Amino acid sequence: MKKINGLIGVLIASLVMLTSCNNSETTPKKSGGALKSSAAEKVYVAPGEHDEFYAFVSGGFSGQLSVYGLPSGRLFKVIPVFSQDPEKAWGYNEETKPMLNTSHGFVPWDDAHHPDISQTNGEVDGRFVYINANNTPRIAKIDLSTFETTEILEVPNSAGNHSSSFVTENSEYVVAGTRFSVPFPQRDMSIKDYKGNFKGALSFIKLDQEDGGMDLSFQIMMPGFNYDLAHPGRGNSHGWFFFTTYNTEEANSLLEVNASQNDKDFIAAVNWKKAEEYIKAGKFKTVPANYAHNVYDEHTHTATSTMKKEVRILDPAECPGLVYFLPTPKSPHGVDVDPSGEYIIGNGKLSANLTVHSFTNMMKAIESGNFAGEAYGIPILKFEDVLGGVVEQPGLGPLHTEFDGKGNAYTTFFISSEVVKWKLGTWEVIDRKPTYYSVGHIMIPGGNSRKPFGKYAIAMNKITKDRYLPTGPEVTQSAQLYDITGEKMELLLDFPTIGEPHYAAGIPADLVKPRSKKYFPLEENKHKYATKSESEAKVVRDGNEVHIYMTMIRSHFAPDNIEGVKVGDKVYFHVTNLEQDYDVPHGISMIGANTSELLIMPGQTETFLWEPKQVGVWPFYCTDFCSALHQEMSGYVRVSPKDSNIDLSWSLGE
Amino acid sequence: MKISKLMMILGAISILGLFVFPLWRITLEAPQYPIPLAMDIYINDFADVHPHDIKNINLMNHYVGMQYIPESIPEFTIFPIVIAVMSVLGIAVGFIGKHKLFLAWFILMLLLAIAGMYDFYLWEHDYGHNLDPNAIMKFTNKDGSVMGFQPPLFGSKDILNFKAHSYPQLGAIFLAIGMALSFISFFVGKKQQK
């Protein structure tokens, strides 16, 4: 009977989808009765009121992280992470250029995928967000007291840093895997010799408990599969980390066919507590590496980039009990662990069913020692031994699952473009709702922790076609907000996003708001070129370098008249915002400068470089409408010929 | 010890609260200051209510040519001495126990308090009217005279986009309690004598 109901459900759903274009305008929306509030009321946050949740939505190929409020869907900030941002001078000013340094030099862009919030006791704690760069493998840390990127660590021996950046339940590690296996060590070799020579590194980055700082502790050098996604165990399974794999065929060309042949790929279960023991016992090899570690200091307001030269490697074949393979149909994409830590959901993207492994069964299977075989020295557990349950025919193309903390799971289906709600333990489908269109990830605030806040879910869609006013061939991607408090999900809101809203992390606003800083105390400013009062403002020449120690306060610069600069000089504007009030930034820009404006927060110092190429008198001005006299906030620099002997001079109000 | 003496001594001690708590507070409210700017006046200091409030009041007031609130004023030296002396005097008077002296102390304290308020008014008047002739923005009253920005001595007042409030604080209440105690002790002492 259940099955028949299910079938009818699918039929009705597809009928609704087929006909919805025609009758959506005329048919009144189904409602739960007269007392049920409307969708508009549920997402309305009155002017001056605050949203209940923060949502940190990755910008995908924009390289940035956007900050939205839920349920309103309002965008508050785009935090520059991996891409240069002229609006905030990220990667343009002298202070933040080192943040984008890598072993490949300065990389001004990346593809930001999976934000994850730091956790304490398995619950999101609102201190830091970690996010991965997919293209040139890096992990960034965003400090939620300033909402700024304060650290970026390059990940060596990795490529397509996709199964990243997921945090263990006490923020012991942030973990990164490689989607593309690469020769290890990197070398000039034939691509055809992929099999056996290419390796996939799983990187365990130790986190500092105080400042969230990152240190690559060790890498597990795995067979040359594609490590697609990951999630940590929690509760009983704390100490384990799960990675999906595809291309266990180890194909190196036409992957869409050649990597889709095996009936089952694997979920790799990694016992990282065991790894720690092996590290302690000295079972690692230290190998040469070259990767950048970039740290931004909040007090010097300046980043430094250090090249690290070594990494510790564990070989799973030589470390029994470190890794087990759980056979999982068919090119599993997401792997998600339920709040209890018992169920490990393998979202087999080419499979008709959703596979759920049981942690208890996995431990029993490991204990029994009765394996199905091994791959590169790693034991393969028997599929039926570890299986916890199957959600039968829930939809097409399952990608990701999140949880509401009430025993339900929500899985996205890319091909059938829907979110399906099902019950853990009984594996029955409870509800399904279409997404518009082609959903990737779904996010429930705290939905990948021990304590989800199961009020809203947002589905992140890759395709919107006709959903908004058209903007030429390129149209926005979107997020869709569902109310998940009832038995049935209810679509409330549909809002555009920046770049690709690849994944998101959400948290109750009250866990973040009280820690958000209002400005930087001037007395704590330790910038090398800080100018803490107008009387200290000066201009200093050092060969062809000119350093301007400048201050800004409503509504003038000090100094604002500068003479003695020559063509060919390298002029550094070191500008300190002397304001000590909330929301009084100032900006500065110089005509012809080949960098961006600076947007300087109260108490902060930033620097831009200007290389004047033409003789004349050139103005600079404040770019942020700061005050009633904003238009007056400007100044001039006189640029003389290279051979001129005009002395440096500077003034204000003379 | 007689109740009147005790009251007088307590009253004299009470005014020492001025060394701990602010005397007065001036608060400035405007829409873009959801947390208002405010300054506490102690007998020996101007203090921020929230960090950097005075700096931000100065920054705002320079648009209309008002002077910066000074770091220190002569009164900050005089007031603490006056209060300390009056407290010692009051305690001495209390031990002597002559109720007429209680009244004398009260009247003296009252006169000093009035003098202090008048002095504060004069400072406020100067602060609100002695404007820089090169002020960025100049405002005139309806009669053509230059608009002043003096905050009220007591109460609330609209000044351009701000609403200014000026009210006594805990220190002033300690002073009032001290004075009230000395005043009552006079009557109690008088009654007890009969």
Side-chain angles (χ1 to χ4, degrees):
Chain A
M1 188 62 195
K2 238 180 224 167
K3 263 189 187 165
I4 294 171
N5 275 345
L7 275 174
I8 292 172
V10 174
L11 270 174
I12 290 173
S14 34
L15 274 174
V16 168
M17 280 179 73
L18 279 171
T19 55
S20 61
C21 289
N22 299 327
N23 59 17
S24 62
E25 299 298 321
T26 49
T27 315
K29 291 254 155 72
K30 276 184 200 165
S31 73
L35 287 176
K36 206 171 170 195
S37 63
S38 72
E41 274 174 60
K42 283 182 177 174
V43 301
Y44 182 68
V45 177
E49 301 282 310
H50 286 177
D51 279 282
E52 193 180 345
F53 293 95
Y54 280 104
F56 299 96
V57 183
S58 75
F61 46 74
S62 89
Q64 318 296 45
L65 181 68
S66 53
V67 186
Y68 286 86
L70 298 181
S72 72
R74 298 181 294 188
L75 175 65
F76 303 136
K77 184 175 185 179
V78 176
I79 302 170
V81 185
F82 297 116
S83 296
Q84 276 183 303
D85 179 6
E87 178 189 322
K88 297 175 175 63
W90 181 253
Y92 287 96
N93 63 19
E94 297 303 305
E95 286 77 10
T96 59
K97 275 180 189 170
M99 289 302 281
L100 302 180
N101 188 40
T102 74
S103 62
H104 306 272
F106 183 83
V107 176
W109 168 90
D110 219 299
D111 187 10
H113 272 207
H114 306 121
D116 204 17
I117 297 169
S118 55
Q119 295 189 10
T120 304
N121 298 322
E123 296 174 18
V124 286
D125 62 20
R127 298 169 70 215
F128 306 103
V129 175
Y130 295 90
I131 188 166
N132 57 318
N134 197 35
N135 182 55
T136 302
R138 288 171 281 177
I139 307 287
K141 178 191 81 188
I142 290 104
D143 187 331
L144 291 186
S145 68
T146 57
F147 285 66
E148 285 179 1
T149 307
T150 52
E151 194 170 346
I152 294 181
L153 178 69
E154 191 178 0
V155 184
N157 302 317
S158 186
N161 176 34
H162 194 265
S163 38
S164 321
S165 45
F166 301 102
V167 182
T168 55
E169 77 169 22
N170 282 304
S171 302
E172 294 96 339
Y173 294 94
V174 61
V175 177
T178 183
R179 193 170 107 215
F180 306 126
S181 285
V182 284
F184 173 73
Q186 264 294 8
R187 60 192 180 274
D188 177 20
M189 63 174 281
S190 168
I191 302 166
K192 288 192 177 66
D193 298 331
Y194 181 113
K195 230 173 217 187
N197 289 313
F198 282 39
K199 297 283 179 197
L202 307 179
S203 308
F204 285 75
I205 297 160
K206 189 93 190 140
L207 298 181
D208 185 288
Q209 292 300 301
E210 283 304 306
D211 62 15
M214 296 185 281
D215 177 39
L216 178 52
S217 180
F218 58 89
Q219 294 188 311
I220 301 175
M221 205 49 74
M222 297 285 285
F225 308 153
N226 294 24
Y227 297 85
D228 203 10
L229 270 162
H231 264 110
R234 53 181 64 96
N236 283 342
S237 55
H238 178 57
W240 290 80
F241 222 98
F242 304 97
F243 298 83
T244 49
T245 67
Y246 66 103
N247 192 23
T248 51
E249 297 86 349
E250 295 182 76
N252 58 283
S253 183
L254 194 62
L255 263 63
E256 64 172 312
V257 176
N258 295 332
S260 306
Q261 296 305 308
N262 286 354
D263 192 37
K264 291 190 178 66
D265 296 279
F266 301 125
I267 287 175
V270 175
N271 185 341
W272 57 260
K273 289 236 162 126
K274 196 94 185 162
E276 285 180 336
E277 288 169 22
Y278 280 123
I279 290 288
K280 225 176 176 180
K283 288 271 289 185
F284 57 87
K285 258 193 219 118
T286 302
V287 303
N290 188 32
Y291 58 102
H293 185 210
N294 311 328
V295 180
Y296 181 87
D297 184 298
E298 192 185 306
H299 298 298
T300 62
H301 301 286
T302 302
T304 50
S305 180
T306 317
M307 295 312 292
K308 299 258 193 160
K309 296 294 182 188
E310 278 178 354
V311 62
R312 300 189 290 189
I313 303 283
L314 286 175
D315 180 348
E318 290 170 12
C319 299
L322 180 61
V323 186
Y324 297 92
F325 283 137
L326 283 55
T328 306
K330 203 147 177 191
S331 300
H333 185 59
V335 54
D336 298 284
V337 180
D338 85 306
S340 74
E342 168 62 13
Y343 295 119
I344 302 140
I345 289 95
N347 305 274
K349 67 177 188 262
L350 309 178
S351 164
N353 297 333
L354 202 57
T355 307
V356 182
H357 297 302
S358 149
F359 180 72
T360 313
N361 292 351
M362 182 188 103
M363 293 311 285
K364 273 188 211 153
I366 291 169
E367 233 164 84
S368 77
N370 189 7
F371 304 137
E374 63 170 51
Y376 295 97
I378 297 166
I380 302 168
L381 304 179
K382 287 182 175 162
F383 177 68
E384 32 322 328
D385 285 357
V386 292
L387 191 67
V390 174
V391 186
E392 301 274 356
Q393 311 251 332
L396 297 175
L399 292 187
H400 304 283
T401 302
E402 296 242 333
F403 310 90
D404 64 4
K406 298 166 204 155
N408 302 306
Y410 300 76
T411 302
T412 52
F413 291 84
F414 181 78
I415 298 171
S416 52
S417 190
E418 60 188 336
V419 178
V420 173
K421 175 183 178 181
W422 52 275
K423 209 166 187 65
L424 287 157
T426 68
W427 323 120
E428 65 188 318
V429 170
I430 297 167
D431 187 27
R432 57 178 68 244
K433 285 283 181 299
T435 61
Y436 306 93
Y437 310 94
S438 300
V439 61
H441 278 272
I442 185 167
M443 184 280 280
I444 294 169
N448 254 307
S449 74
R450 276 206 223 171
K451 188 182 168 191
F453 300 86
K455 191 167 179 184
Y456 303 110
I458 59 171
M460 285 152 274
N461 304 316
K462 316 291 184 193
I463 293 170
T464 59
K465 291 191 189 282
D466 60 339
R467 294 294 289 181
Y468 303 100
L469 287 176
T471 52
E474 186 198 334
V475 293
T476 185
Q477 302 195 15
S478 80
Q480 290 188 302
L481 181 80
Y482 295 84
D483 177 343
I484 56 165
T485 53
E487 178 80 355
K488 302 282 174 192
M489 297 174 276
E490 185 189 359
L491 177 60
L492 299 179
L493 186 70
D494 184 336
F495 58 96
T497 53
I498 63 156
E500 178 211 0
H502 188 91
Y503 186 36
I507 184 168
D510 289 340
L511 295 177
V512 176
K513 244 160 73 169
R515 294 182 58 250
S516 184
K517 291 201 170 129
K518 291 189 163 66
Y519 55 84
F520 298 104
L522 202 54
E523 65 270 18
E524 291 175 15
N525 182 330
K526 302 209 165 43
H527 192 288
K528 194 180 166 197
Y529 295 98
T531 312
K532 295 195 186 180
S533 74
E534 289 189 0
S535 60
E536 292 168 40
K538 61 185 176 185
V539 184
V540 178
R541 176 178 284 282
D542 176 15
N544 74 332
E545 280 187 12
V546 176
H547 293 272
I548 301 173
Y549 294 71
M550 183 180 271
T551 67
M552 56 199 340
I553 198 161
R554 279 163 289 177
S555 304
H556 59 269
F557 296 99
D560 66 0
N561 278 200
I562 297 165
E563 301 202 356
V565 170
K566 297 173 207 168
V567 169
D569 280 346
K570 288 168 90 109
V571 182
Y572 291 92
F573 283 75
H574 308 287
V575 192
T576 303
N577 182 345
L578 295 180
E579 305 279 359
Q580 291 286 273
D581 197 1
Y582 194 15
D583 200 10
V584 194
H586 293 288
I588 182 170
S589 70
M590 180 78 223
I591 187 170
N594 300 110
T595 57
S596 72
E597 67 148 355
L598 301 178
L599 180 63
I600 308 169
M601 297 303 125
Q604 194 176 23
T605 305
E606 291 188 23
T607 304
F608 76 92
L609 170 62
W610 176 50
E611 296 174 270
K613 295 171 186 73
Q614 297 174 45
V615 167
V617 177
W618 307 101
F620 56 89
Y621 72 97
C622 177
T623 46
D624 184 34
F625 203 111
C626 56
S627 64
L629 280 300
H630 163 70
Q631 294 297 78
E632 283 73 10
M633 193 165 168
S634 61
Y636 286 106
V637 180
R638 173 180 172 184
V639 178
S640 307
K642 210 178 173 90
D643 55 358
S644 120
N645 52 9
I646 293 173
D647 284 335
L648 273 183
S649 65
W650 60 95
S651 61
L652 167 71
E654 279 170 17
Chain B
M1 192 185 270
K2 279 199 283 184
I3 185 90
S4 61
K5 285 174 80 172
L6 196 66
M7 284 173 74
M8 181 60 226
I9 292 166
L10 273 177
I13 292 171
S14 169
I15 67 168
L16 293 176
L18 281 167
F19 281 94
V20 185
F21 302 108
L23 181 66
W24 222 261
R25 176 177 291 183
I26 296 176
T27 306
L28 298 170
E29 287 177 358
Q32 63 271 56
Y33 287 89
I35 299 169
L37 295 170
M39 173 174 83
D40 274 341
I41 301 165
Y42 288 77
I43 53 168
N44 59 354
D45 197 16
F46 294 128
D48 294 317
V49 172
H50 318 96
H52 307 293
D53 270 355
I54 293 176
K55 172 176 170 151
N56 290 320
I57 291 169
N58 287 336
L59 260 173
M60 201 143 43
N61 288 352
H62 94 280
Y63 287 120
V64 290
M66 292 167 81
Q67 304 153 50
Y68 280 11
I69 294 165
E71 285 281 318
S72 187
I73 52 175
E75 285 84 343
F76 289 164
T77 323
I78 299 162
F79 284 174
I81 294 170
V82 169
I83 296 299
V85 167
M86 281 305 289
S87 183
V88 172
L89 204 62
I91 293 167
V93 160
F95 277 109
I96 293 164
K98 290 194 173 157
H99 70 268
K100 277 183 184 166
L101 284 177
F102 297 174
L103 185 66
W105 186 89
F106 169 75
I107 291 167
L108 183 58
M109 191 69 244
L110 186 67
L111 288 173
L112 287 168
I114 291 167
M117 289 294 278
Y118 182 64
D119 179 75
F120 177 48
Y121 173 82
L122 287 180
W123 175 80
E124 261 197 337
H125 187 272
D126 179 66
Y127 178 63
H129 288 89
N130 182 8
L131 305 175
D132 183 348
N134 293 324
I136 294 162
M137 285 187 260
K138 297 187 184 77
F139 294 91
T140 49
N141 296 312
K142 274 181 186 157
D143 64 6
S145 59
V146 173
M147 188 188 278
F149 304 101
Q150 182 179 353
L153 193 60
F154 180 92
S156 300
K157 183 179 163 190
D158 288 318
I159 307 172
L160 295 179
N161 59 325
F162 280 93
K163 193 169 186 86
H165 306 282
S166 175
Y167 290 102
Q169 296 297 294
L170 206 49
I173 290 165
F174 271 98
L175 176 64
I177 290 170
M179 288 173 67
L181 280 172
S182 74
F183 191 57
I184 298 164
S185 70
F186 163 70
F187 290 104
V188 175
K190 197 174 169 186
K191 209 172 173 186
Q192 278 169 339
Q193 210 180 39
K194 278 174 188 172

